Amino acid sequence: MEKQHSFWEREEWLKPPDLVVIGGGIVGASTALFYKEIYPDHDVIIVDKGITPEGASTRNAGFSCIGSISEHLADLKISGEETVFKRIGRRWNGLQLLRKTIGDDVMDYQNTGGYEIFKEEKTYKRCAEKIPWFNQKLKDKFGLKDVYSMDVYEGYPAIFNRVEGAINSGKLMRTLHVRLAKAGIRIWWNSKVLRVETGAVHFENGFQINPKKTVIAVNGFLQRLENLPVHPARGFVFVTKPISDLKWIGTFHYDEGYVYFRNVNDRLLLGGGRNVAKEEEATDLFGANQKIRDYLIGFADKTLKLPEKWEIDIEWSGIMGMTENKEPIHQKVKPGVWVAAGLSGMGIAIGMQVAKELVLKMEE
Ligand SMILES: Cc1cc2nc3c(=O)[nH]c(=O)nc-3n(C[C@H](O)[C@H](O)[C@H](O)COP(=O)(O)OP(=O)(O)OC[C@H]3O[C@@H](n4cnc5c(N)ncnc54)[C@H](O)[C@@H]3O)c2cc1C
């Protein structure tokens, strides 16, 4: 006889839940949490293909940031002023929501401030000239005073952003998952979904569950489940072994946000460089691209001038979800099925905000 589910399993464990969320990253986990706050009696299950959240939320760099000026200027060319400032607002509000929901201490939040450093005088001048304009806009729109200022760091011209900071992404996600457990939300790990229909979620192992509502929060893996314009982009990061007298303390950006680095105590975390091999990195498969690895190592040696004999301790990749204009997609895609994806490189900042907005849309 084939293995059957027992009476108890059928009646208690596998009966149609009110909500299944596919994806246990920051967006899926927050969606489940905020939904459960509104409907405490509803049965909510999160399912994830990994034994940890296996996308970007536990594999990122831990910057809590609203963006550097060169990044905003590049975005203005693509999306225009209204969209760019709406995005900055969402990042700022999202960070406040994150801090309120999780708590600064438990995720080691540090308001370090952030520096954008420049190697080319021309780019620096172009960005520095815009400081008064950005500061005025941020004051008028969000009440944030004097966010950007001119500075110098380790001999490089720099723009300081006083509202940037850093968190420990591992602690953030573990705390979030403890909250899920406390709220009575079940999580099924190692449960890869192959197909979603209205009222049915089909797993790789042949199992099927029949929720009343489904949220697909798989970000960079979306195209495997839904044909929507969210494209995968792989990001690469490494953390060095401890470096005595590390000069780079705080959070830093370079080159429109493509390169980012920060200290993690006495180690340096350095990541990005996707622009060096953009097409090759348009993948949802984990792995390291030697071209990017070499570029970042060269950056650490020549630009950051790390002391000789510094070593990489650990390196990894994570998968982001990108949309054409960097705006996330959160919408109903068929009766009873919603999608939240396309968080780009700013999911720590906007992840909870997007989840909150989605839960409100689910009520409509
Ligand atoms: C290297 C790197 C550095 C970054 N640095 C920062 C930063 O410093 N600051 C910042 O704000 N943002 C950063 N980001 C972006 C941020 O991490 C993401 O935007 C955010 O984590 C996205 O969250 P998410 O929940 O939408 O997706 P994810 O965290 O990717 O979660 C999606 C989940 O869905 C699961 N899943 C996928 N397919 C299936 C399936 N078929 N069945 C079941 N489960 C499935 C995955 O296992 C995964 O756990 C970085 C990203 C990367 C990759």
Side-chain angles (χ1 to χ4, degrees):
M1 188 180 85
E2 254 183 69
K3 189 183 84 177
Q4 301 280 351
H5 288 297
S6 72
F7 174 78
W8 315 113
E9 285 166 346
R10 195 190 68 192
E11 294 297 306
E12 291 304 323
W13 212 266
L14 304 173
K15 69 179 175 201
D18 295 287
L19 172 66
V20 163
V21 177
I22 305 164
I26 187 168
V27 174
S30 308
T31 301
L33 194 66
F34 295 145
Y35 178 90
K36 188 81 174 166
E37 279 173 8
I38 301 175
Y39 305 104
D41 298 335
H42 281 202
D43 187 17
V44 179
I45 304 176
I46 298 181
V47 301
D48 198 292
K49 69 180 169 60
I51 54 165
T52 58
E54 206 185 45
S57 297
T58 49
R59 310 180 73 78
N60 59 47
F63 284 60
S64 62
C65 56
I66 62 162
S68 62
I69 288 198
S70 72
E71 180 189 345
H72 296 322
L73 290 178
D75 287 352
L76 278 166
K77 281 191 200 148
I78 304 169
S79 312
E81 203 177 305
E82 196 188 329
T83 308
V84 168
F85 282 99
K86 192 173 139 216
R87 182 178 308 142
I88 297 175
R90 198 187 244 153
R91 287 170 89 161
W92 176 248
N93 291 332
L95 285 169
Q96 306 319 304
L97 180 62
L98 174 74
R99 293 176 59 193
K100 193 172 125 221
T101 309
I102 299 295
D104 287 351
D105 289 351
V106 284
M107 62 179 179
D108 293 348
Y109 170 78
Q110 288 174 295
N111 177 208
T112 53
Y115 295 85
E116 173 170 28
I117 63 159
F118 297 85
K119 292 205 288 184
E120 283 174 27
E121 194 59 32
K122 203 172 125 202
T123 320
Y124 176 60
K125 274 198 177 140
R126 185 171 58 88
C127 292
E129 268 170 15
K130 289 282 180 192
I131 290 176
W133 185 75
F134 274 103
N135 280 349
Q136 191 62 47
K137 289 268 177 205
L138 294 184
K139 185 168 167 249
D140 294 345
K141 287 179 186 287
F142 315 117
L144 291 168
K145 274 197 211 152
D146 302 328
V147 171
Y148 297 102
S149 53
M150 285 165 80
D151 215 317
V152 175
Y153 200 101
E154 280 298 295
Y156 290 104
I159 295 177
F160 183 66
N161 175 339
R162 68 171 184 84
V163 301
E164 304 247 339
I167 61 152
N168 176 322
S169 302
K171 286 189 177 172
L172 154 64
M173 288 307 295
R174 278 211 61 183
T175 307
L176 188 52
H177 278 257
V178 168
R179 297 276 165 83
L180 298 175
K182 281 191 183 148
I185 295 164
R186 292 186 282 158
I187 306 172
W188 295 354
W189 297 109
N190 231 343
S191 302
K192 184 171 180 179
V193 171
L194 287 191
R195 199 155 47 83
V196 180
E197 295 156 9
T198 296
V201 174
H202 302 266
F203 292 86
E204 193 179 39
N205 62 8
F207 179 65
Q208 174 184 330
I209 195 158
N210 300 102
K212 291 178 191 137
K213 296 175 192 165
T214 305
V215 168
I216 306 174
V218 299
N219 201 31
F221 305 89
L222 184 65
Q223 294 221 328
R224 294 188 183 258
L225 295 177
E226 286 292 329
N227 187 17
L228 285 168
V230 175
H231 301 283
R234 185 167 63 186
F236 177 73
V237 175
F238 63 69
V239 170
T240 67
K241 289 190 174 165
I243 295 174
S244 56
D245 197 21
L246 181 65
K247 305 276 190 245
W248 300 94
I249 305 294
T251 65
F252 302 86
H253 285 107
Y254 171 69
D255 194 9
E256 298 178 4
Y258 275 113
V259 176
Y260 44 86
F261 49 104
R262 58 172 279 198
N263 73 302
V264 182
N265 303 321
D266 55 356
R267 298 159 182 264
L268 187 83
L269 178 154
L270 172 59
R274 200 167 50 84
N275 50 336
V276 175
K278 228 174 187 173
E279 278 177 26
E280 291 154 54
E281 295 310 285
T283 173
D284 67 4
L285 302 175
F286 294 104
N289 184 322
Q290 198 55 41
K291 218 187 283 176
I292 292 178
R293 200 171 178 275
D294 290 345
Y295 169 73
L296 291 177
I297 290 172
F299 185 83
D301 279 330
K302 294 190 195 99
T303 304
L304 304 186
K305 302 185 177 76
L306 293 190
E308 265 180 45
K309 295 201 181 137
W310 68 272
E311 279 180 81
I312 293 177
D313 185 16
I314 175 167
E315 57 185 67
W316 67 88
S317 63
I319 308 299
M320 289 172 278
M322 300 292 188
T323 59
E324 203 61 47
N325 65 354
K326 283 170 81 174
E327 286 297 287
I329 288 179
H330 51 335
Q331 64 190 53
K332 193 178 207 171
V333 286
K334 50 189 114 169
V337 181
W338 290 262
V339 160
L343 281 281
S344 181
M346 46 194 175
I348 290 177
I350 64 171
M352 279 202 175
Q353 184 68 23
V354 167
K356 191 124 223 169
E357 291 169 22
L358 180 73
V359 170
L360 291 177
K361 284 187 181 186
M362 289 170 72
E363 285 192 88
E364 283 166 8

